[in-house]
Amino acid sequence: MTDTHATPPLPASGHATQARRASPDAGASPRRAADVERLLRDMAADSFGRDPLAVDPKRPITEQAPDLLGLDAFSKRVREVFGGSRDVEQALRCATLGRMAEVLAPPVQGVPVVPDGEDPEVPESQEGQEGWTHLRRAESAAAGAVNVLCLPYAGGRPAMFRRVAERLDASFRVASALYGKSGADGQSGADGPLRGIGDIAAALLAALPSGGPAVLVGHCYGAYVAHALARAMARQGRPPLCMVVAGATPPDAQELVYGSSQWARDPDGEATLRYLERIYAPLLCELTPQEQAGYWVEYRRSVRRMERYEFGPVPLDCPCLVITGESEEYPFVTEFAASWKGCFTDCRFTTAPGGHMLVQTHPGEFADVVSEFVLGHAGAATAGRRA
């Protein structure tokens, strides 16, 4: 096997800060505007084929682009990272990267803010404890409604799925997993050695919301947890109605990615971290240095868990939809996607707008794809029971 896939570091997790209520001073801070400006400069450098240091955030961007194709590539990248919105389009009309950063600075696109009078803030999980929190109030859905259970990337908070929850079909109840916090060393928590994905899934199973049929939606690391949870549910005789996998390392890419990737060889290398920062830009640009340090701890721990996870030889008797971002930054997510067929008796594939972080940058489009898939299976299950 060649090493052509070894350059991109592996995906594992993201880390969005907890959903919070809007405050009077919720505008851009100098630190955050500077972070966004740096990210824009990196995107421009990639699009223009230039060194980032040669891109001047104070000079008109049109004077620095080599041609219209470069400008178009830059605009497309900005939309992918920050999502489509009026703010993004306003930013792209600015003359300089500095002015663009001021428009795009926090509240950052893709970061949910909970207005007063809506659902309460999502609770923090405790050390080694897993559970679920509702993103859509149970009373908004009828009794026996489908429970859509979302599983974020490692370190991710339920807030990453809030905008998806708001756009899913109104008949669904929606909840998100809470992952237990990790120890500070990235290798073991306060309660001992690194806990496996199977142990985490077992804890989530014990706290599983009651009610109608369950649908599991896992993003990246969350897709591995979803698979383990689906397997545990099946053993108890209550398999999920169906599940959705998005942005996860396919089974046949595990050894390649986690054994020989650039990240595995040089996890703290500057080139590796800069590559990862660009992919996770929608969330990293809104974190403090301390929060970013915590994120990388969870990233490393999730990598070890995903490396050790075994999908097993028997496919799950559970329909699965694999969603890949049209601009997915990790090539192996697309190139090895077919290997998911070995994990499910019924496995389908589709694409949706956005890159690796499509759940946050394009929540509406992602929710539409999920809703159509789930409603199809919910309808079939209802028809089967009536027959």
Side-chain angles (χ1 to χ4, degrees):
M1 182 178 292
T2 64
D3 197 36
T4 56
H5 304 286
T7 299
L10 62 161
S13 66
H15 180 92
T17 52
Q18 181 180 356
R20 59 191 183 280
R21 301 187 183 277
S23 59
D25 59 348
S29 67
R31 177 189 64 79
R32 289 177 170 178
D35 288 344
V36 174
E37 181 181 289
R38 177 175 58 82
L39 291 166
L40 290 173
R41 186 174 61 189
D42 286 342
M43 292 180 213
D46 286 343
S47 302
F48 302 162
R50 304 182 63 183
D51 187 292
L53 296 178
V55 177
D56 187 348
K58 296 181 180 180
R59 281 185 59 204
I61 193 70
T62 53
E63 295 179 3
Q64 304 183 72
D67 49 38
L68 290 177
L69 289 177
L71 276 176
D72 183 65
F74 172 70
S75 299
K76 180 179 178 181
R77 179 61 175 155
V78 171
R79 291 188 179 98
E80 289 171 354
V81 168
F82 291 95
S85 71
R86 291 182 180 178
D87 286 347
V88 170
E89 297 308 315
Q90 179 184 345
L92 289 173
R93 288 194 291 270
C94 295
T96 67
L97 296 181
R99 285 290 298 124
M100 290 183 191
E102 292 174 8
V103 174
L104 293 171
V108 179
Q109 304 305 306
V111 179
V113 176
V114 185
D116 288 333
E118 293 190 4
D119 286 348
E121 293 182 0
V122 173
E124 288 274 3
S125 55
Q126 302 300 315
E127 179 77 44
Q129 295 180 353
E130 282 75 30
W132 302 90
T133 183
H134 281 287
L135 297 182
R136 177 182 292 161
R137 293 182 182 277
E139 59 265 29
S140 67
V146 171
N147 286 304
V148 177
L149 307 177
C150 304
L151 296 106
Y153 37 54
R157 299 293 184 260
M160 75 162 287
F161 278 108
R162 188 177 293 279
R163 292 203 299 161
V164 171
E166 293 171 351
R167 291 162 171 79
L168 284 170
D169 188 89
S171 65
F172 300 157
R173 291 193 185 97
V174 188
S176 177
L178 287 164
Y179 298 139
K181 292 182 178 179
S182 302
D185 61 2
Q187 296 298 322
S188 61
D191 55 347
L194 183 72
R195 299 168 69 227
I197 286 176
D199 294 331
I200 293 171
L204 290 172
L205 177 64
L208 203 66
S210 59
V215 172
L216 307 181
V217 179
H219 178 265
C220 199
Y221 166 80
Y224 278 49
V225 180
H227 182 273
L229 179 56
R231 189 159 53 183
M233 292 172 68
R235 285 196 294 265
Q236 288 194 353
R238 49 170 179 165
L241 176 68
C242 58
M243 63 182 287
V244 175
V245 165
T249 301
D252 281 4
Q254 269 182 294
E255 181 179 356
L256 173 69
V257 174
Y258 302 123
S260 61
S261 69
Q262 178 179 334
W263 188 95
R265 296 194 306 268
D266 187 18
D268 297 312
E270 182 178 351
T272 301
L273 292 176
R274 285 181 67 83
Y275 187 93
L276 292 169
E277 286 173 356
R278 295 174 189 176
I279 294 176
Y280 295 115
L283 50 99
L284 288 176
C285 66
E286 61 133 23
L287 301 183
T288 66
Q290 183 177 4
E291 288 170 333
Q292 289 190 22
Y295 159 71
W296 293 121
V297 169
E298 290 300 332
Y299 189 101
R300 288 169 174 79
R301 290 176 63 82
S302 66
V303 165
R304 300 281 74 82
R305 291 189 181 108
M306 294 172 77
E307 177 185 18
R308 300 171 187 178
Y309 184 67
E310 296 181 3
F311 287 93
V314 181
L316 289 171
D317 189 14
C318 168
C320 178
L321 178 66
V322 178
I323 303 176
T324 303
E326 294 172 356
S327 304
E328 170 63 58
E329 293 87 346
Y330 294 111
F332 47 80
V333 171
T334 301
E335 294 170 16
F336 290 86
S339 63
W340 284 111
K341 292 181 180 179
C343 297
F344 304 94
T345 56
D346 179 3
C347 189
R348 309 174 192 185
F349 301 84
T350 191
T351 59
H356 189 67
M357 300 303 296
L358 78 170
V359 174
Q360 288 186 266
T361 61
H362 295 75
E365 293 89 339
F366 182 83
D368 287 345
V369 174
V370 173
S371 293
E372 181 180 1
F373 179 69
V374 175
L375 286 171
H377 286 282
T382 299
R385 288 195 299 270
R386 289 174 179 170

